[in-house]
């Protein structure tokens, strides 16, 4: 075993890359362990057709370096997966990150060793790496969910998961294809697969809400304007609950006239993107308000989809924005194509996958290729795949058996010198994730520096502080409609997963304020050795 490092960072997505850069800048030694063969995380794995960001590219980017901001040119309003991956690779080159990243290696176990005040990390290559700090940058949406549908292993053709797509791409030309799922990944890929394939069969369990992206190439004049005002845009974004600089109409829908509501919804529909949910300030707080937005979108579905029966199946019935809103390019229009069949499996799950397709509601559907757009074991999936053990050998799996609990989404009681970037209990997936990642990384790097200055060997959150944060998380979640539906936010997509609203829904500004206050009060809620 080599001399202990200051930190092992797990994952080389945007979080792990920036964590490495920041620690190096402060003179710490660190190694990143990454399961993939390259950087980029989400954008390394999710190479399905149509994959792109749904936060505008100029905002879905790092802000730690004004030089990087100025030199990088985004070409589309919503960048494609290849362009975002190219950006991640550019950052890795620019800051010479690769020499401290070990690719093609998975962390399998990590144990806090009390005698050493540090961690012993084990990998699938049989290595044991000692480090004072363990920092996970393993991603909130990085553990693909393959549902246990009977017969899945017997399918004779190729099966692809959107979250682990072949690097060489897949050509569906002339093929018949089955897609299971209608979440964001499906909604982005279905229109493209339908254009390629001879026939596409979509299996839908829950009809989903989506708003048009109105994606387009970026006008160079607009890019110049953004670059000139980048600092101000980033500052404004930090004052917004989702960390995205967008126009929030700060009035309740229930107090607006029917005409004003229509005007707002139509204007935002025409503009495109996630700003639709900012049409009014009570859409996620009040059922009646939510219904006005949901009805507007439902009407759109019925207007776009020509076959009334298909339109009815596609019309969402639940709360809009409760599951994450999708952003699409021609999704509903796709169901007007003669080569697309929609199968409603709301009331009866797929009976089984057969060697030649699927059997649902007593009917056989045949296809050559199967696409699982079935999402992720979100927020805790990647963390709990690793055997992480804190004080007294207690495992994180046991500590979180009733759902994850953290202090600030950053640290876990009983797990000293352990930090989770965008862990459960942080705003993470409810925000533009790049600024949220940067805020976490900066907080952790500053914390490590403070510990070094104070000569502190071990930091650990107090169980009471963690409990209070969990209670606060639960109480803010209960105020919103978002905690009411069976989404991946509450773990409902994974059978047996404890139902806890995992991300912090109090908004990015309140969260940043809290993190800063904790530091200002001498790391309130933490104990030191
Ligand atoms: P990831 O990018 O998930 O990286 C985690 C890395 O950790 C992975 O490379 C993984 O291989 C590695 N890893 C995990 N476990 C281990 C282990 N045990 N050992 C070694 N390595 C391990 N967010 C937005 O804000 N806007 C968007 O538009 C947006 N679009 C998205 C589109 C898709 C298709 C998906 C799936 C997510 C999207 N997200 C979006 C969320 C996205 O995950 C984040 O924006 C961001 O990329 C996360 O970066 P990360 O570094 O935290 O995690
Ligand atoms: P998802 O939102 O969890 O969607 C998974 C889909 O698969 C759902 O329609 C789900 O149905 C269905 N499903 C799961 N198990 C099933 C089963 N056994 N039988 C039938 N259907 C099943 O996953 P995702 O689409 O990959 O998106 C996950 C998140 O990643 C998004 O919410 C977003 O945060 C991010 N993302 C963003 C973008 C973007 O636009 N930038 C693109 C992709 C992903 P139910 O709804 O009934 O559970």
């Amino acid at each position: 075993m080599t001399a202990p490092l200051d930190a092992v960072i797990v994952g080389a997505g945007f979080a792990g890359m920036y964590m490495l850069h920041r620690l190096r800048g402060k003179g710490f030694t660190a190694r990143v362990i990454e399961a993939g063969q390259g950087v980029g995380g989400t954008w390394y794995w999710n190479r399905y057709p149509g994959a792109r960001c749904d936060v505008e590219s100029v905002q879905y980017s790092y802000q730690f370096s004004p030089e990087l901001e100025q030199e990088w040119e985004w070409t589309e309003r919503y960048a494609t997966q290849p362009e975002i991956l190219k950006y991640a690779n550019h950052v890795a080159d620019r800051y010479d990150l690769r020499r401290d990243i070990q690719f093609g290696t998975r962390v399998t176990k990590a144990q806090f060793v009390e005698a050493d005040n540090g961690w012993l990390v084990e990998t699938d290559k049989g290595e044991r790496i000692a480090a004072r700090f363990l920092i996970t940058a393993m991603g909130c949406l990085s553990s693909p969910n393959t549902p246990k549908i009977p017969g899945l292993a017997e399918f004779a053709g190729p099966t692809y998961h959107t979250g682990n797509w072949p690097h060489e791409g897949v050509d569906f030309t002339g093929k018949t294809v089955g897609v299971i799922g209608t979440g964001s990944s499906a909604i982005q890929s279905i229109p493209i697969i339908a254009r390629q394939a001879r026939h596409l069969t979509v299996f839908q369990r829950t009809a989903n809400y989506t708003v048009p992206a109105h994606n387009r190439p970026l006008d160079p004049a607009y890019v110049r304007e953004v670059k000139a005002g980048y600092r101000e845009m980033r500052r404004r974004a930090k004052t917004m609950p989702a960390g995205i600089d967008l126009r929030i109409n700060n009035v309740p829908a229930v107090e607006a006239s029917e005409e004003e509501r229509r005007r707002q919804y139509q204007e935002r529909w025409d503009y495109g993107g996630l700003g639709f949910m900012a049409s009014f300030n009570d859409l996620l707080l009040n059922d009646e308000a939510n219904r006005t937005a949901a009805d507007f979108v439902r009407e759109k579905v019925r207007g776009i989809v020509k076959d009334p029966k298909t339109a009815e199946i596609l019309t969402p019935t639940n709360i809009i924005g409760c599951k994450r809103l999708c952003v699409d390019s021609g999704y509903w229009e796709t169901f007007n194509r003669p080569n697309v069949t929609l199968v409603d499996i709301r009331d009866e799950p797929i009976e089984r996958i057969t060697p030649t397709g699927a059997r649902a509601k007593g009917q056989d559907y045949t296809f050559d290729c199967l696409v699982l757009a079935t999402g992720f074991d979100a927020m805790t999936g990647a963390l709990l795949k690793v055997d992480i053990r804190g004080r007294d050998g207690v495992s994180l799996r046991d500590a979180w058996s009733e759902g994850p609990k953290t202090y600030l989404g950053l640290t876990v009681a009983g797990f000293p010198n352990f930090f989770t970037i965008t862990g459960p209990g942080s705003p993470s997936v409810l925000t533009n994730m790049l600024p949220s990642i940067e805020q976490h990384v900066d907080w952790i790097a500053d914390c490590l520096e403070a510990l070094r200055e104070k000569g502190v060997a071990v930091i650990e959150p107090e169980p009471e502080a963690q409990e209070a944060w969990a209670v606060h998380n639960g109480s803010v979640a209960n105020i919103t409609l978002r905690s009411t539906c069976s989404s991946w936010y509450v773990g409902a997509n994974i059978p047996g997963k404890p139902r806890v609203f995992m991300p912090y829904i109090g908004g990015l500004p309140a969260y940043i304020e809290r993190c800063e206050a904790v530091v200002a009060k001498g790391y309130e809620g933490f104990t030191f050795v």
Side-chain angles (χ1 to χ4, degrees):
M1 210 164 57
T2 50
L5 295 157
D6 289 320
V8 161
I9 301 163
V10 191
F14 286 126
M17 290 166 68
Y18 180 49
M19 192 74 245
L20 173 62
H21 177 64
R22 286 287 275 144
L23 289 187
R24 269 190 193 165
K26 288 185 183 288
F28 291 106
T29 55
R31 193 185 323 167
V32 180
I33 310 292
E34 166 56 55
Q37 296 293 350
V39 297
T42 288
W43 307 101
Y44 172 89
W45 297 106
N46 290 263
R47 301 178 188 230
Y48 60 84
R52 55 175 78 242
C53 52
D54 60 3
V55 170
E56 296 192 18
S57 325
V58 294
Q59 299 203 53
Y60 187 68
S61 52
Y62 286 123
Q63 57 188 285
F64 69 84
S65 159
E67 296 78 23
L68 175 64
E69 269 174 352
Q70 292 300 321
E71 75 198 15
W72 184 261
E73 290 288 327
W74 293 109
T75 65
E76 290 182 57
R77 181 179 179 190
Y78 298 102
T80 59
Q81 171 273 328
E83 188 170 359
I84 303 172
L85 185 58
K86 200 169 153 203
Y87 173 72
N89 277 293
H90 169 76
V91 174
D93 292 338
R94 194 186 195 287
Y95 298 100
D96 189 20
L97 298 180
R98 287 194 182 79
R99 68 183 153 90
D100 286 322
I101 306 177
Q102 186 173 332
F103 293 108
T105 308
R106 189 168 281 282
V107 169
T108 51
K109 188 171 177 183
Q111 162 82 60
F112 182 72
V113 183
E114 306 214 13
D116 301 342
N117 286 334
W119 286 85
L120 189 60
V121 176
E122 295 181 27
T123 73
D124 62 353
K125 301 285 181 290
E127 287 156 300
R128 289 151 70 86
I129 308 160
R132 281 200 45 224
F133 298 97
L134 173 65
I135 305 175
T136 58
M138 290 154 74
C140 295
L141 297 160
S142 56
S143 181
N145 166 39
T146 298
K148 291 188 174 53
I149 304 174
L152 195 54
E154 289 153 34
F155 184 62
T159 302
Y160 308 104
H161 195 294
T162 50
N164 188 5
W165 200 259
H167 288 199
E168 63 280 12
V170 181
D171 184 3
F172 291 112
T173 309
K175 306 269 193 230
T176 53
V177 184
V179 172
I180 301 178
T182 49
S184 296
S185 302
I187 281 177
Q188 286 186 328
S189 54
I190 281 171
I192 297 174
I193 298 175
R195 287 202 289 274
Q196 259 185 23
R198 183 150 55 83
H199 193 89
L200 170 65
T201 308
V202 176
F203 296 88
Q204 175 192 277
R205 187 165 69 184
T206 310
N208 219 332
Y209 291 95
T210 176
V211 292
H214 297 310
N215 185 44
R216 56 175 179 267
L218 283 178
D219 174 6
Y222 168 75
V223 175
R224 275 197 301 281
E225 193 185 309
V226 168
K227 286 188 174 182
Y230 240 138
R231 295 276 64 74
E232 187 50 27
M233 176 197 265
R234 304 292 199 181
R235 191 202 57 73
R236 278 194 309 272
K238 284 209 175 96
T239 66
M240 307 282 177
I244 308 174
D245 180 29
L246 50 76
R247 260 180 329 114
I248 298 176
N249 182 28
N250 216 0
V251 295
V254 286
E255 286 175 18
S257 65
E258 173 64 20
E259 195 188 356
E260 170 55 11
R261 282 198 294 258
R262 283 203 151 271
R263 197 190 62 72
Q264 275 288 340
Y265 294 142
Q266 187 62 48
E267 190 186 309
R268 286 166 189 264
W269 183 268
D270 294 340
Y271 182 75
L274 295 172
F276 184 81
M277 289 307 291
S279 299
F280 294 98
N281 65 9
D282 55 350
L283 297 185
L284 287 168
L285 298 172
N286 179 324
D287 265 319
E288 197 188 327
N290 190 279
R291 208 172 308 120
T292 63
D295 282 345
F296 178 87
V297 179
R298 290 175 189 140
E299 229 177 79
K300 291 288 179 196
V301 188
R302 296 184 187 113
I304 295 168
V305 180
K306 295 201 176 100
D307 172 43
K309 207 168 149 220
T310 307
E312 207 41 49
I313 300 170
L314 284 170
T315 302
T317 53
N318 50 357
I319 287 161
I320 184 168
C322 197
K323 294 188 180 199
R324 187 183 163 104
L325 186 66
C326 302
V327 176
D328 74 285
S329 299
Y331 175 66
W332 281 317
E333 291 81 348
T334 301
F335 293 89
N336 290 331
R337 295 177 65 98
N339 70 332
V340 177
T341 304
L342 178 67
V343 183
D344 178 9
I345 53 165
R346 187 178 5 192
D347 302 324
E348 280 180 53
I350 294 172
E351 238 169 86
R352 65 180 301 110
I353 301 294
T354 64
T356 54
R359 187 166 177 77
K361 292 171 127 175
Q363 199 176 324
D364 281 311
Y365 299 88
T366 58
F367 37 82
D368 307 319
C369 317
L370 174 60
V371 174
L372 299 176
T374 45
F376 301 88
D377 183 354
M379 305 215 65
T380 56
L383 278 163
L384 296 183
K385 268 189 187 164
V386 179
D387 184 11
I388 298 175
R389 289 178 184 267
R391 267 190 209 291
D392 306 321
V394 172
S395 75
L396 193 61
R397 283 176 205 146
D398 285 342
W400 285 2
S401 60
E402 288 172 14
K405 278 189 183 171
T406 64
Y407 183 38
L408 303 173
L410 276 161
T411 56
V412 185
F415 294 77
N417 289 0
F418 175 53
F419 296 92
T420 50
I421 305 176
T422 64
S426 73
S428 56
V429 290
L430 298 177
T431 63
N432 175 6
M433 285 208 61
L434 262 284
S436 282
I437 284 170
E438 283 184 288
Q439 186 262 341
H440 262 198
V441 168
D442 290 342
W443 194 95
I444 295 167
D446 291 347
C447 175
L448 264 54
E449 191 175 40
L451 299 180
R452 182 171 60 190
E453 279 166 12
K454 290 185 174 113
V456 168
V458 176
I459 182 171
E460 187 180 345
E462 291 161 3
E464 300 74 23
Q466 174 168 288
E467 193 53 36
W469 184 248
V471 169
H472 173 60
N473 260 276
S475 57
V476 281
N478 286 339
I479 297 170
T480 85
L481 298 173
R482 261 188 164 148
S483 59
T484 61
C485 67
S486 296
S487 66
W488 59 256
Y489 294 133
V490 298
N493 62 330
I494 304 296
K497 191 164 172 170
R499 192 171 174 132
V500 172
F501 194 85
M502 293 182 286
Y504 176 62
I505 202 169
L508 191 62
Y511 178 77
I512 294 176
E513 199 179 302
R514 182 62 196 272
C515 289
E516 287 175 354
V518 164
V519 176
K521 291 180 190 160
Y523 288 92
E524 184 185 43
F526 287 97
T527 55
F528 303 100
V529 176

